Amino acid sequence: MTFAAVQILRGAAALMVAWHHARHEAGLMAGRGAGPTLDSATLLPWWGGVDLFFVISGFVIVHAGGRLAGRPGAHVRFLAHRVARVVPLYWLVSLLYLALALTRPDLLGEAAALARDPSALVASFLFWPAARPDGTIQPLYGLGWTLNYEALFYVLFAAGLGLGRRGAVAWLCGTLTVLVAVGALVPGLPVPLRFWSDPIVLEFAAGAGLALAYRAGFRPALPVRIALAILGVLGLVLAARVLAGLGEADGGLRPLLVGGPAVLLVAAALGPARDVAQVARLPSPMRGLVGLGDASYALYLVHPFALRLVREGLLRFGLAPALHPWGSMTLMLAVSVAASLAIHRRVERPLTRALRKRLDPGAP
């Protein structure tokens, strides 16, 4: 069963992150004479697509993965499914990025130094938080910082599956709350604990709470869902204003100002679940948006390559001044979406199915 609106929201979250990075690429193009620089002020905190991802992940994992709760070997099967879903494409893009770092270090700056650091590479591929030379806690492929949080969430939820679904969520939320409290109260924590204790992890707990509420009978009527969606969007607009002078990574306010609206948007998306046949009968535009949601993981991981390829192409062929900034950014986004859909169908899905069968032969 599929929550079509949640899948559409997942696609929107990936598009937000891609648009955020497209704005950055547009700034680089402007610095190379392509045209005017974009105003730093934005309508929405586009980077907040990550927060939306985290809330959605909390909901989906508890709603769908929680069916294993209480079964023998539940934690092993759950982690096997998560590994099959997350690892193959991430390792592929990380290997591609590593190849670029070794052959063209001039293109990647600070990240290129990690390519020759064995401990940093191992940490990057095993989802273990490690600091770069400049102190930033990021893996070789920078976007993987979100997956380091996802990995923590998966491990904690898997550890609680023997307690049943509600028990697993209680264990998860309690552990995340303790982590955040320790991070706030204890200075000088080791890098992994300092990373995991960021308040942003509470967004997973919020999504998990929504899943329990849904299973307990929370079914907002359409007018309520519309109101929640409006409030969520207005909350993001407000967050963009409040955080403009504080920076996107303000650990204290981000989960409240951006994570809060994200929770409202996910709650608004909790319409009726649909099976494959029902999804196939949706109007074509909606099916396309659901398909983009299915490919959102590929879009998240692949879009930096597409953005930079389009940027360099526009500059090399002299098209940047005519298109910059909005035309170039739109083209970047379109190429990113097209590439992600192709990679999702031709690479991600086959690899996921193959690895899942190998790790869990009894899985359907």
Side-chain angles (χ1 to χ4, degrees):
M1 302 295 284
T2 298
F3 292 93
V6 172
Q7 284 301 91
I8 292 172
L9 199 58
R10 196 200 297 264
L15 286 174
M16 286 174 67
V17 176
W19 187 254
H20 170 61
H21 291 143
R23 289 177 57 86
H24 174 72
E25 297 298 330
L28 295 178
M29 291 173 68
R32 292 167 63 176
T37 302
L38 287 172
D39 190 337
S40 61
T42 64
L43 176 64
L44 296 174
W46 302 109
W47 43 265
V50 167
D51 304 75
L52 195 50
F53 267 131
F54 285 175
V55 176
I56 292 172
S57 183
F59 172 80
V60 170
I61 292 303
V62 172
H63 178 74
R67 67 179 179 270
L68 295 172
R71 298 183 183 181
H75 60 288
V76 174
R77 292 195 68 190
F78 172 80
L79 289 176
H81 295 177
R82 288 294 89 202
V83 166
R85 177 71 179 88
V86 171
V87 167
L89 189 60
Y90 178 63
W91 278 13
L92 277 178
V93 296
S94 295
L95 287 171
L96 176 58
Y97 199 79
L98 175 61
L100 286 173
L102 292 173
T103 57
R104 291 295 305 274
D106 55 301
L107 296 177
L108 302 183
E110 181 76 28
L114 300 183
R116 302 185 185 280
D117 183 345
S119 62
L121 290 178
V122 170
S124 295
F125 282 90
L126 296 184
F127 306 97
W128 187 261
R132 293 183 174 190
D134 65 356
T136 305
I137 305 176
Q138 280 188 336
L140 172 70
Y141 189 52
L143 288 181
W145 72 269
T146 63
L147 299 182
N148 288 353
Y149 281 122
E150 290 275 356
L152 170 69
F153 169 50
Y154 298 156
V155 169
L156 290 179
F157 185 65
L161 280 174
L163 304 172
R165 193 191 306 263
R166 288 180 177 274
V169 171
W171 150 259
L172 170 74
C173 294
T175 304
L176 292 178
T177 301
V178 169
L179 271 174
V180 172
V182 168
L185 298 174
V186 180
L189 289 172
V191 166
L193 284 177
R194 180 154 44 94
F195 179 81
W196 290 327
S197 63
D198 189 296
I200 200 171
V201 299
L202 297 177
E203 294 171 355
F204 292 111
L210 277 179
L212 286 187
Y214 183 85
R215 295 189 66 83
F218 176 65
R219 303 289 192 278
L222 182 59
V224 175
R225 293 170 58 202
I226 293 173
L228 289 172
I230 292 172
L231 288 174
V233 172
L234 290 177
L236 289 179
V237 172
L238 176 63
R241 301 294 179 272
V242 174
L243 293 174
L246 299 177
E248 66 189 58
D250 184 272
L253 292 178
R254 177 172 180 167
L256 176 64
L257 293 179
V258 183
V263 172
L264 294 177
L265 289 170
V266 176
L270 298 184
R274 293 177 167 88
D275 58 27
V276 175
Q278 290 171 323
V279 171
R281 290 196 294 269
L282 291 172
S284 296
M286 282 195 67
R287 288 203 311 273
L289 292 173
V290 171
L292 180 60
D294 294 339
S296 58
Y297 184 53
L299 176 56
Y300 178 73
L301 289 179
V302 169
H303 78 267
F305 296 97
L307 296 182
R308 292 170 189 177
L309 180 64
V310 173
R311 180 194 72 192
E312 292 305 312
L314 290 175
L315 290 170
R316 177 165 299 186
F317 293 104
L319 300 174
L323 293 175
H324 192 77
W326 301 110
S328 59
M329 291 167 60
T330 301
L331 181 60
M332 288 179 190
L333 202 63
V335 172
S336 298
V337 168
S340 66
L341 290 172
I343 289 172
H344 171 67
R345 292 168 185 164
R346 303 296 184 183
V347 179
E348 181 189 1
R349 285 198 306 194
L351 285 177
T352 298
R353 284 196 297 264
L355 186 55
R356 182 165 173 167
K357 286 181 180 179
R358 180 172 292 274
L359 295 177
D360 185 12

